[in-house]
Amino acid sequence: PHAGVRIIGGRYGLASKDFTTGMAHAIFVNLAASKPKHPFTVGIVDDVTNLSLEYTEMSTVPEGTVQCMLFGFGSDGTVGANKNAIKLISKETNLYTQGHFAYDALKAGGVTCSHLRFGPKPIKASYEITAGCSYLAVHKKEYLSNYSVESIFGALEEGGVFVLNSPWTSAELLRENLKLEFRQFIVQKKIVVYNIDASSVARQAGMGRLINNIMQTVFFHLANIMDPVKAITLFKKEVEKTYKNKGPEVVKKNIDAIDMALDNLNRIDLPAEWGQPRAGEVRRPLRERDANVPSVVAEVLDPVQLREGGFLPVSKFSPGGVVELGMTQWAKRGVAPKIPV
């Protein structure tokens, strides 16, 4: 019954990779080729059997869907606040919502990335946001020194909003502290830049290092999902419910932090030369190692730590996935906001 039918087989999801629409598109392109690869793999860089398909990420969510990414620091409250935001928006609007929360292995103190989608039509995207992000927030400024522009800004669309938690409250301070490649991306993609020193606001409100409700207030104000005034009013009520068991003083501190948030939010107007290199400034490697460092550190461990492990080719890994012992001595992350001296 299947005479004359040509069957092409392949594998996806290897190395726990999401299966995105860009990968699906690559498979159909392969099927349409005069000599399609059979078998094939998609999602990994297979330079051992050379079966992998090249693909480009694309945004195919329904029209009107807003996609947001928020980079937090494990235990800073960002993920919990984003979960509350999803519940609030689901309850108070007719929008469909979706949330996916990625953590690294370090849990508290590690990188977290919240992937949020909101839209008037059902959302069936069962993968992380890889393109078409309209709102990007980085809640820890050290990430902009430690990671590449591709790993942080790669999914941000042209004209999108970028919010940074940092003490760099002016265009000049941002130019002095942001790496050249980040500034060039912002200028080329016409990114709208906002900055808030949420850590300072949290300290003033008596919240210690908890910046979650401050940054969540900024999110409701800028993400263009529902009326911001209504959203922040409802958010305050949810905060009161959440913290009422801890006493009125804790509730007041959280409300004060929310009220202070927008007063400390600054839109940064960028002068024409902002994206140009400063005197002597060049693009440098994220991490440089001495020649005596084991090759596995520079070729495997460093890319993994720099959030680029998903792009490593198969040939870089030991058969069976064996990892040498003692590798944590090379795993210095540089994420502390201050050090005791």
Side-chain angles (χ1 to χ4, degrees):
H2 302 295
V5 175
R6 188 177 185 187
I7 298 175
I8 306 296
R11 294 187 294 173
Y12 65 91
L14 296 172
S16 299
K17 290 290 191 71
D18 282 344
F19 183 57
T20 67
T21 51
M23 297 177 195
H25 179 262
I27 291 172
F28 284 108
V29 170
N30 180 56
L31 293 174
S34 57
K35 294 183 178 180
K37 278 190 177 182
H38 172 65
F40 65 83
T41 62
V42 67
I44 63 172
V45 183
D46 181 3
D47 62 341
V48 175
T49 60
N50 296 307
L51 297 177
S52 55
L53 304 178
E54 292 186 4
Y55 65 94
T56 301
E57 297 294 6
M58 55 179 62
S59 178
T60 58
V61 293
E63 185 178 354
T65 302
V66 177
Q67 300 189 103
C68 309
M69 294 176 65
L70 302 95
F71 285 91
F73 188 65
S75 79
D76 70 356
T78 294
V79 169
N82 288 330
K83 290 180 179 178
N84 288 337
I86 289 174
K87 293 174 186 176
L88 188 152
I89 293 168
S90 296
K91 185 167 65 175
E92 300 295 336
T93 72
N94 293 323
L95 297 177
Y96 292 89
T97 64
Q98 182 194 69
H100 170 79
F101 306 94
Y103 311 80
D104 71 16
L106 296 169
K107 301 294 183 180
V111 181
T112 67
C113 186
S114 302
H115 298 255
L116 312 181
R117 292 185 175 102
F118 309 91
K121 298 178 182 179
I123 301 168
K124 300 178 180 179
S126 56
Y127 46 84
E128 294 181 351
I129 298 169
T130 56
C133 172
S134 62
Y135 178 93
L136 173 69
V138 175
H139 293 187
K140 193 168 184 65
K141 68 183 189 303
E142 287 78 13
Y143 294 163
L144 302 182
S145 301
N146 295 350
Y147 303 119
S148 69
V149 65
E150 292 82 9
S151 64
I152 300 293
F153 280 8
L156 188 59
E157 67 183 10
E158 185 166 342
V161 171
F162 168 53
V163 179
L164 176 63
N165 166 32
S166 83
W168 310 324
T169 54
S170 68
E172 187 56 37
L173 284 173
L174 280 173
R175 188 172 188 233
E176 291 173 5
N177 289 282
L178 283 189
K179 292 186 295 186
L180 176 61
E181 52 266 38
F182 280 92
R183 302 200 315 271
Q184 289 177 334
F185 182 97
I186 288 169
V187 171
Q188 291 166 6
K189 294 289 187 177
K190 300 180 177 63
I191 305 302
V192 181
V193 179
Y194 288 85
N195 186 85
I196 179 171
D197 191 350
S199 302
S200 175
V201 173
R203 288 193 296 271
Q204 293 174 46
M207 294 296 298
R209 67 175 184 175
L210 295 176
I211 62 169
N212 53 336
N213 290 333
I214 298 165
M215 298 305 292
Q216 205 63 52
T217 303
V218 173
F219 168 79
F220 283 125
H221 181 67
L222 296 177
N224 197 30
I225 295 166
M226 61 183 292
D227 176 67
V229 175
K230 179 183 177 183
I232 293 171
T233 300
L234 293 169
F235 181 47
K236 287 182 180 179
K237 292 180 180 178
E238 291 297 321
V239 166
E240 290 173 358
K241 289 180 186 177
T242 301
Y243 297 104
K244 68 179 180 180
N245 291 335
K246 297 190 176 183
E249 186 178 348
V250 172
V251 171
K252 183 179 184 303
K253 287 180 180 179
N254 279 276
I255 298 300
D256 287 347
I258 292 171
D259 289 336
M260 294 168 64
L262 298 186
D263 290 337
N264 287 272
L265 178 66
N266 300 295
R267 177 167 175 167
I268 309 297
D269 295 320
L270 307 177
E273 71 280 2
W274 192 81
Q276 298 300 315
R278 303 192 309 275
E281 184 180 24
V282 295
R283 185 167 181 168
R284 301 184 183 280
L286 286 172
R287 194 168 289 179
E288 296 179 278
R289 295 290 191 182
D290 296 332
N292 61 346
V293 171
S295 60
V296 67
V297 172
E299 296 178 4
V300 178
L301 180 64
D302 283 349
V304 168
Q305 282 205 304
L306 297 172
R307 298 179 63 82
E308 297 175 350
F311 304 106
L312 286 172
V314 173
S315 62
K316 294 294 183 183
F317 296 95
S318 301
V322 177
V323 178
E324 295 181 35
L325 298 177
M327 289 292 100
T328 53
Q329 65 180 300
W330 310 105
K332 307 303 180 186
R333 297 178 296 135
V335 295
K338 54 185 177 181
I339 57 174
V341 293

